[in-house]
Amino acid sequence: MFAADRVPDGLAHAALATATIDRGRIAALDTARAEAVPGVRLVLTRLGEDELRTAGFLMAGGYAFQSFQPLTSDRIAYRGQPVALVVADDPVAATHAAELVEARYEAEPHAVRIDDPGATVVLQQEAIPLPFLADVVVGDADAELAKAEVRVEAVYEHPSQNSAPMELIGAVVQWRGDTLVVHEGTQNAASIRHGLAHQLGIDAERVEVVSPYTGGGFGQKNSLQPHIGPLAIAARRLGRPVKLVLTRPQVFHQASFRPVSRHRISLGADASGRLLAAVHEADQQTSRHDLFPATFTEVTSRLYGVPAFRGRQRLVQTDVQTPGYMRAPFEHPGAWAMECAVDELAHAAGADPVELRLANDTTHDPVTGKPFSSRHVAECLQRGAELFGWAKRRPEPAQWIASDGSQVGWGVAIGAYPAASTPAVARAVAYPDGRVGVEVDGHEMGQGIRSAITLLVADLMGVPANRVTVGLGDTRVATQHLTAGSWGTSSALPAVHAAILKLRETLGGRRPTGAPVAVSASNGLPEPLQERARAGQVALAGPVWDDFVAYSFIAHFVEVRVAAGTRRIRVPRVVSVADCGRVASPVTAASQVRGGVVWGLGAALREGLEVDERYGGFVNATLEEYPVTVNADVARIDVEFIDRPDPLLNPVGVKGLGEVSMVGVAAAASNAIFHATGRRVRRLPITIADLL
């Protein structure tokens, strides 16, 4: 059961009236017609600071996806911002009444594109002076570039995108006495709990957040949403539970999205294609009220053993809601740009794209000099090339014509994603009837964390999988730190592993004869991180550890067919080989990679938000007009794993998989299109118009 499926007794329904300008202030707001609709019980238009404080931006020590809290001032910061919350006995009355709210605005000039005159540019390492957000600089890349025999320099444009989860953002909020109970599909129940406590001025112990299933998260549901606080106030005023489910356009305009980014890549190599230097300069969109930090160069500096690297990341402030994390948020755009440039370098050097990548592989992190905990990029490339039949590839572009007249192209790219961990505590219980229960920090987002935990417990305890129960996503049983960044399974499993070993030792090989036996254990991260997690703050360790650097890796091989007349692009097959440490759950792991490939193909060929320059916001904020990859677009996707445990990272040997699975797919597809047509398109999505 998802949050929006719940129908408690006395349920009231909420709907939002939203701003139709992009920037300015509310001059007048008329709710008389809305209040006259039969069944309407409440219309909220303005909440004082004594009622609802801002929860703060998640990446600046707060709890929410943005610091700006609607309904607390007359300011309009972005189009689609809520200006009124209507609560009625049924959703039809609430929706109708919300449409009758009349607002008069005083509009101000706005900037919605990163090149608009009103956009403000700041250098990230100066605007956010934190070590982990500083520009990556190793050696003198500019000097090495000047000496390089082969050079490539290009600009790559990545559009804004929306996660477009099938499960819409929605919540049911109710008071049980003095306790606030929130049912919402979230990746971060802890931030909702502590953020609401801060907003409402109550103790966090009086807030319960229950999210057994997130639905589609993909980063968009990683923290407190701005409608939850007003819902809590409405439920308290009415003495009834209140449900709100955002419409699809509201999800596009009121939740985070992947921001526009622009990447300038410069590569220098010797005549054989061995890399000597790389420069990655990136501009990323953010909002006026928050600086959403970029970490593109954290990954692009580590794809290869480049001895000299210079990164520069700038943030461009525009009039939008704060952008946020969408699956492989920086790694996908950054690797797309870098891996397209590497393909251009291979072409310029007359080298095979796979061989050039193998020649530039490394065992040590080029940024810190530390060894990688494990890195099997070469095996991923070699196995992928074998499965794909890469040896049959014709080296020259635009020379391969299929029997139906379409142009054939093969492309390759690699990807990487940080192997980070967050604090997790697991409670394991053995019952007299042979059942084993586990409660742990983590959220089920479709990645199969329940399956991975169940398989581990069944194996360690020697019980059938159907005798194992798993509880997560519930603040009543564990802290429920943010699950994102592919760290969910790799953080929860070590805690479960430790708890089960402790339980086995306590039981001494026997079943409980009376009351159940329960033990608890953590995954061993330092206590300061545990304290941050308990306080609802982001607490992250890695990918740079004391003695090593840890990443997951992958190699993708993509075939495209470009129709001779229509120039329509089809992808008949993909081969992906992943290095994610031990494969904890083979079925769900393969599913994760296939899902990531589908996402990557959508990013390469279909997805992009279209900005309304007149009024702000997005004009294609529906699934009819925001095209995502569907079943008819997907053909054969073959997946394999290196499946070598990484014991340096954790005792279970697992690394993250869900996000690395997407990294590099768009680049492999872009490179395949170049190979098919001879035309290098340096912006996404690549459409028919680009190839006509």
Side-chain angles (χ1 to χ4, degrees):
M1 180 178 286
F2 295 98
D5 297 329
R6 302 185 65 84
V7 188
D9 292 340
L11 180 66
H13 297 265
L16 295 169
T18 58
T20 57
I21 66 168
D22 193 53
R23 184 181 183 188
R25 60 178 294 271
I26 303 170
L29 202 60
D30 186 350
T31 62
R33 294 174 63 205
E35 291 167 339
V37 173
V40 169
R41 302 299 174 189
L42 181 67
V43 179
L44 290 178
T45 59
R46 182 71 62 84
L47 298 168
E49 290 188 6
D50 57 330
E51 285 186 287
L52 190 68
R53 291 180 284 180
T54 177
F57 179 36
L58 181 73
M59 296 307 294
Y63 306 96
F65 93 83
Q66 66 176 8
S67 61
F68 184 81
Q69 175 60 57
L71 304 182
T72 58
S73 74
D74 64 356
R75 294 300 304 170
I76 300 299
Y78 50 91
R79 188 182 179 195
Q81 170 190 322
V83 297
L85 175 74
V86 178
V87 185
D89 292 333
D90 62 77
V92 175
T95 301
H96 178 52
E99 293 171 348
L100 296 178
V101 173
E102 297 180 12
R104 182 167 58 84
Y105 303 101
E106 293 178 356
E108 299 173 3
H110 62 261
V112 292
R113 299 182 184 276
I114 61 175
D115 292 323
D116 284 352
T120 305
V121 180
V122 298
L123 189 63
Q124 177 170 285
Q125 70 174 7
E126 294 178 357
I128 318 175
L130 297 173
F132 76 98
L133 295 176
D135 289 336
V136 176
V137 177
V138 179
D140 190 339
D142 296 293
E144 293 300 321
L145 277 172
K147 297 185 294 185
E149 296 177 78
V150 183
R151 288 194 294 271
V152 166
E153 182 174 318
V155 176
Y156 302 88
E157 306 273 353
H158 195 287
S160 54
Q161 298 172 330
N162 195 279
S163 297
M166 189 178 296
E167 177 74 12
L168 294 164
I169 292 174
V172 176
V173 177
Q174 64 188 107
W175 291 86
R176 192 178 63 241
D178 290 334
T179 298
L180 177 61
V181 182
V182 179
H183 292 270
E184 182 177 40
T186 182
Q187 300 170 234
N188 193 349
S191 79
I192 296 179
R193 182 187 198 189
H194 290 272
L196 281 173
H198 176 78
Q199 284 192 295
L200 301 173
I202 62 177
D203 194 304
E205 295 301 317
R206 290 171 49 196
V207 182
E208 296 177 0
V209 182
V210 183
S211 182
Y213 293 94
T214 300
F218 316 120
Q220 193 176 68
K221 301 177 182 177
N222 75 347
S223 50
L224 178 64
Q225 304 287 341
H227 58 271
I228 301 296
L231 280 182
I233 291 173
R236 183 164 55 191
R237 288 190 187 181
L238 293 174
R240 298 170 60 178
V242 180
K243 176 190 290 190
L244 173 66
V245 179
L246 299 185
T247 66
R248 181 68 62 185
Q250 287 172 353
V251 170
F252 276 66
H253 286 108
Q254 295 179 37
S256 63
F257 63 98
R258 191 196 303 279
V260 169
S261 60
R262 176 181 293 147
H263 307 263
R264 180 181 295 277
I265 306 291
S266 301
L267 300 179
D270 63 19
S272 69
R274 185 173 294 278
L275 284 163
L276 303 174
V279 173
H280 183 181
E281 298 175 325
D283 290 349
Q284 175 186 271
Q285 177 185 32
T286 188
S287 68
R288 298 281 185 190
H289 40 274
D290 296 310
L291 294 177
F292 175 57
T295 56
F296 298 109
T297 59
E298 181 186 53
V299 165
T300 57
S301 60
R302 292 177 161 103
L303 286 174
Y304 299 101
V306 186
F309 183 95
R310 178 173 63 80
R312 187 209 66 190
Q313 296 172 124
R314 302 192 307 176
L315 303 177
V316 186
Q317 295 178 286
T318 58
D319 297 300
V320 294
Q321 72 269 34
T322 301
Y325 297 91
M326 177 173 157
R327 194 175 195 174
F330 314 107
E331 296 75 15
H332 151 68
W336 166 69
M338 181 63 72
E339 281 296 272
C340 286
V342 168
D343 197 71
E344 295 198 42
L345 182 72
H347 182 69
D352 178 84
V354 170
E355 294 303 322
L356 183 137
R357 286 170 169 81
L358 289 171
N360 286 286
D361 194 20
T362 180
T363 59
H364 284 68
D365 172 31
V367 178
T368 65
K370 297 179 180 181
F372 285 108
S373 60
S374 63
R375 178 183 166 110
H376 304 295
V377 174
E379 292 93 326
C380 290
L381 283 166
Q382 290 162 345
R383 180 58 178 153
E386 179 185 353
L387 290 171
F388 196 76
W390 187 262
K392 300 177 182 178
R393 178 181 182 269
R394 301 180 184 181
E396 289 301 316
Q399 298 298 313
W400 201 344
I401 308 299
S403 58
D404 63 356
S406 62
Q407 293 176 296
V408 181
W410 287 4
V412 63
I414 64 171
Y417 196 89
S421 294
T422 62
V425 175
R427 180 175 180 267
V429 184
Y431 296 93
D433 62 2
R435 291 180 296 117
V436 180
V438 174
E439 296 170 339
V440 65
D441 291 295
H443 299 79
E444 177 58 77
M445 304 184 294
Q447 80 275 38
I449 190 172
R450 275 192 173 86
S451 298
I453 293 170
T454 297
L455 291 171
L456 179 65
V457 173
D459 178 54
L460 292 177
M461 291 296 292
V463 299
N466 63 5
R467 302 292 284 167
V468 178
T469 59
V470 178
L472 38 73
D474 191 334
T475 58
R476 296 171 299 181
V477 301
T479 298
Q480 305 308 333
H481 183 276
L482 168 64
T483 298
S486 291
W487 62 59
T489 302
S490 60
S491 299
L493 253 62
V496 172
H497 181 267
I500 292 299
L501 293 185
K502 189 175 179 180
L503 182 63
R504 285 172 49 178
E505 182 180 355
T506 302
L507 293 173
R510 298 182 297 275
R511 281 189 186 179
T513 55
V517 174
V519 300
S520 296
S522 76
N523 61 0
L525 291 187
E527 181 57 27
L529 286 177
Q530 302 278 355
E531 290 180 5
R532 283 186 58 84
R534 288 192 289 268
Q537 302 289 317
V538 176
L540 189 62
V544 177
W545 304 81
D546 290 342
D547 301 319
F548 56 83
V549 175
Y551 277 76
S552 297
F553 300 96
I554 199 164
H556 300 286
F557 294 78
V558 173
E559 177 180 321
V560 301
R561 301 288 179 103
V562 180
T566 66
R567 311 305 285 157
R568 189 169 191 172
I569 306 164
R570 289 294 190 190
V571 182
R573 65 189 184 109
V574 177
V575 170
S576 301
V577 182
D579 165 24
C580 60
R582 172 187 173 184
V583 179
S585 174
V587 172
T588 54
S591 176
Q592 281 291 289
V593 175
R594 288 192 174 92
V597 169
V598 170
W599 268 63
L601 295 178
L605 304 176
R606 289 169 178 80
E607 294 181 52
L609 288 168
E610 300 292 341
V611 171
D612 190 327
E613 295 182 6
R614 304 163 302 166
Y615 309 115
F618 306 112
V619 295
N620 60 333
T622 66
L623 290 185
E624 291 90 344
E625 296 180 319
Y626 182 84
V628 298
T629 301
V630 298
N631 287 354
D633 300 314
V634 179
R636 180 173 175 176
I637 303 173
D638 293 324
V639 177
E640 281 204 7
F641 299 96
I642 301 302
D643 198 13
R644 293 190 197 170
D646 188 336
L648 289 179
L649 189 60
N650 57 63
V652 186
V654 295
K655 297 192 289 188
L657 176 63
E659 300 198 64
V660 75
S661 60
M662 181 185 182
V663 183
V665 177
S670 300
N671 296 337
I673 289 170
F674 168 74
H675 183 236
T677 66
R679 181 172 296 186
R680 183 73 68 178
V681 182
R682 300 187 180 94
R683 67 172 182 269
L684 295 183
I686 300 174
T687 66
I688 289 172
D690 293 313
L691 301 182
L692 286 173

